[in-house]
Amino acid sequence: MIGKGLVKRLTAAFVVAASAFVAVVALGATLYYALALVMSPIGAAAITAGVFTIVAVVVAVLFLGAAGGLDHDDEDDKEPEGLGGRAYALFRSRPMLGTVAALAGGWIFLRNPALATMVAAAFTEKSRTRYRR
């Protein structure tokens, strides 16, 4: 097994993300219907979309600024070690490519776990050759 603790944490994270998604959708619907009582539905939809766009931009700027995501670190220039470090670096630098790679890796693992194990071993294996004089 990969690790029961990791599976439990991932499950909890997915449950929290799904709950937050449902809460945001419900908040949007509530805002829309409240505005639709006093104006046309098109105006209510436009204002609702504008409010959520502003909130998304503000949250992104605040979190990126607080996390240091807007600053360039020299630590990112060195090559990460291991498969986990490489995956993290890929997700940080190119989130869309990282997501596609994770989905493809998951699909390959579900179709053929032995092949996925061999690929992971090839990526994590270090060179064993030593140079002698």
Side-chain angles (χ1 to χ4, degrees):
M1 200 72 200
I2 295 174
K4 292 183 181 183
L6 178 64
V7 172
K8 287 181 183 179
R9 287 182 183 164
L10 284 174
T11 303
F14 286 138
V15 168
V16 168
S19 299
F21 176 74
V22 169
V24 168
V25 169
L27 179 64
T30 303
L31 179 63
Y32 168 77
Y33 285 116
L35 289 172
L37 291 174
V38 295
M39 61 177 45
S40 69
I42 293 175
I47 291 175
T48 302
V51 166
F52 276 91
T53 302
I54 291 170
V55 168
V57 168
V58 167
V59 168
V61 167
L62 287 177
F63 276 100
L64 286 177
L70 297 175
D71 301 329
H72 179 69
D73 295 334
D74 291 334
E75 297 175 2
D76 295 337
D77 295 336
K78 62 184 178 183
E79 182 159 339
E81 299 229 358
L83 186 61
R86 289 180 186 171
Y88 178 72
L90 178 66
F91 273 105
R92 247 183 116 179
S93 63
R94 297 184 180 132
M96 291 299 290
L97 180 63
T99 303
V100 170
L103 290 174
W107 185 78
I108 289 171
F109 182 73
L110 288 176
R111 299 289 286 170
N112 191 350
L115 176 64
T117 305
M118 287 189 303
V119 169
F123 276 111
T124 57
E125 184 176 298
K126 294 191 177 196
S127 176
R128 299 190 189 280
T129 60
R130 294 187 182 210
Y131 299 104
R132 293 187 179 182
R133 289 187 178 208

